[in-house]
Amino acid sequence: MYYRIFRYIVLIAVLLFLGQACEDEDPSVNSSRLRLKLTDAASVAMKEFYVDISEISVFLVDTAMHEGEWYTLEFSGKTYDVLTLRNGKMIQLVDQYVPAGKELQQIKLKFGNDNRMVVITDSIKTIPLSIHPDLEDGLVIDAVSMEMRLNTISSMVIDLNAALSVVKTEEGDNYLYPVARAFPEVYGGKLKGYVAPLDANPYVKVIQEKDTFLSIPERENLGDQMLMFQFIGLNEGDWEVHFVPDPQANFRDTVVIVTIEQGETFNIPTKPIRLKRLSEE
């Protein structure tokens, strides 16, 4: 009898040990799943804009203890043409487990040496971009805080503003100095609309107080006679939407006001916004 009781005790102990071992090896236990995505606020002057990201870290804060630390994510490094990521398009950088019960407050990007832009002037020209001395330890982006909840997938978007991410010195040197923001994918509201005609070759600019974002509209289908644009992660409230045609196309600028609401997509009801020629009354 004593032997049988002893055998049961040993069996229970082994099962408890195996259960604990499985928990130690399973990264999903007591964790939250983080997906990090990249998108772009476009540049009118650039044709291509390549950013070489070598390392990504996130700053997670224990809000109860008011303490935080940097976590280096599982990312092997890659070069991205961020100008392909406009009008709502994104690419996933990271998808991994991180400690749950913490708040993501900052993101740090480190860069490799394969940064460059392609511009169109009289010809197409590729310009290499050096890492700005201020960014040797990486670029820290203050994020709209996001709670990393247990057994939940949370997506954070990095929106890199290509138009403002190059610094040119008086000596003619070109440096990569990204201007970026980061926000949960469910943050704010979205704006979508259409503009015509094609030969106006316009870009779209949205403005709210100190915030200004650009988009280069594009055809959804080759047969379309209008161009689609989209903005994501916009603060609630009124935004000015500026339709700015190519100066050589002889069309008028047009401005409309829209109201963005949290979690909603505002579709501009006039489809498309049709720009008028300067010769038209």
Side-chain angles (χ1 to χ4, degrees):
M1 178 177 178
Y2 290 112
Y3 173 74
R4 185 178 300 174
I5 294 173
F6 175 75
R7 188 171 58 182
Y8 286 154
I9 293 173
V10 171
L11 178 60
I12 292 171
V14 169
L15 291 174
L16 289 173
F17 173 79
L18 290 176
Q20 182 63 44
C22 289
E23 287 187 3
D24 291 342
E25 293 176 2
D26 188 350
S28 67
V29 175
N30 297 323
S31 296
S32 175
R33 193 161 182 170
L34 171 64
R35 288 179 177 168
L36 199 60
K37 301 180 180 182
L38 180 67
T39 190
D40 171 57
S43 169
V44 178
M46 298 177 191
K47 182 178 180 352
E48 300 167 11
F49 186 66
Y50 295 94
V51 176
D52 181 5
I53 302 175
S54 62
E55 184 178 296
I56 305 175
S57 304
V58 292
F59 191 69
L60 301 181
V61 175
D62 186 325
T63 54
M65 302 296 293
H66 301 288
E67 296 178 350
E69 60 180 305
W70 285 102
Y71 288 81
T72 300
L73 302 181
E74 298 168 4
F75 177 75
S76 58
K78 190 173 180 180
T79 300
Y80 301 91
D81 179 4
V82 298
L83 291 189
T84 63
L85 306 174
R86 63 183 193 265
N87 296 317
K89 293 190 287 293
M90 306 178 200
I91 191 167
Q92 188 162 284
L93 303 176
V94 172
D95 181 0
Q96 73 169 80
Y97 290 102
V98 297
K102 299 181 183 292
E103 189 175 81
L104 193 160
Q105 295 186 353
Q106 292 179 310
I107 299 172
K108 181 190 291 184
L109 304 179
K110 290 188 176 181
F111 303 99
N113 298 315
D114 189 23
N115 304 287
R116 62 194 188 277
M117 62 178 176
V118 178
V119 298
I120 302 176
T121 52
D122 295 335
S123 60
I124 298 176
K125 185 177 181 181
T126 300
I127 301 174
L129 302 173
S130 302
I131 301 297
H132 195 279
D134 291 350
L135 301 183
E136 290 181 358
D137 294 328
L139 172 72
V140 176
I141 305 167
D142 291 327
V144 175
S145 298
M146 180 174 69
E147 183 181 352
M148 306 307 301
R149 297 180 178 178
L150 183 65
N151 301 325
T152 300
I153 297 176
S154 301
S155 293
M156 178 71 76
V157 177
I158 300 172
D159 185 8
L160 193 150
N161 193 328
L164 302 177
S165 294
V166 177
V167 174
K168 187 169 185 177
T169 66
E170 294 180 355
E171 293 76 21
D173 298 321
N174 292 280
Y175 287 98
L176 174 70
Y177 203 129
V179 172
R181 60 185 182 127
F183 52 88
E185 191 169 0
V186 296
Y187 173 78
K190 299 179 181 180
L191 170 65
K192 185 175 183 180
Y194 296 82
V195 60
L198 301 183
D199 52 356
N201 194 25
Y203 70 89
V204 182
K205 176 171 60 177
V206 294
I207 301 174
Q208 185 192 66
E209 298 178 355
K210 296 181 180 180
D211 289 332
T212 299
F213 306 116
L214 300 181
S215 176
I216 301 175
E218 56 189 335
R219 294 190 190 189
E220 287 187 304
N221 299 291
L222 290 179
D224 288 347
Q225 294 303 305
M226 54 186 164
L227 302 168
M228 183 274 293
F229 63 91
Q230 186 171 188
F231 294 88
I232 64 173
L234 299 181
N235 293 328
E236 289 186 297
D238 291 343
W239 287 79
E240 296 179 7
V241 185
H242 295 251
F243 299 87
V244 185
D246 185 325
Q248 298 181 355
N250 295 318
F251 284 86
R252 295 183 183 276
D253 293 5
T254 299
V255 180
V256 299
I257 306 295
V258 302
T259 301
I260 299 298
E261 298 180 5
Q262 169 65 33
E264 302 293 333
T265 298
F266 186 96
N267 292 284
I268 295 180
T270 304
K271 182 180 179 180
I273 297 290
R274 187 166 295 279
L275 304 187
K276 294 183 178 181
R277 292 189 179 275
L278 290 176
S279 58
E280 297 179 26
E281 292 295 332

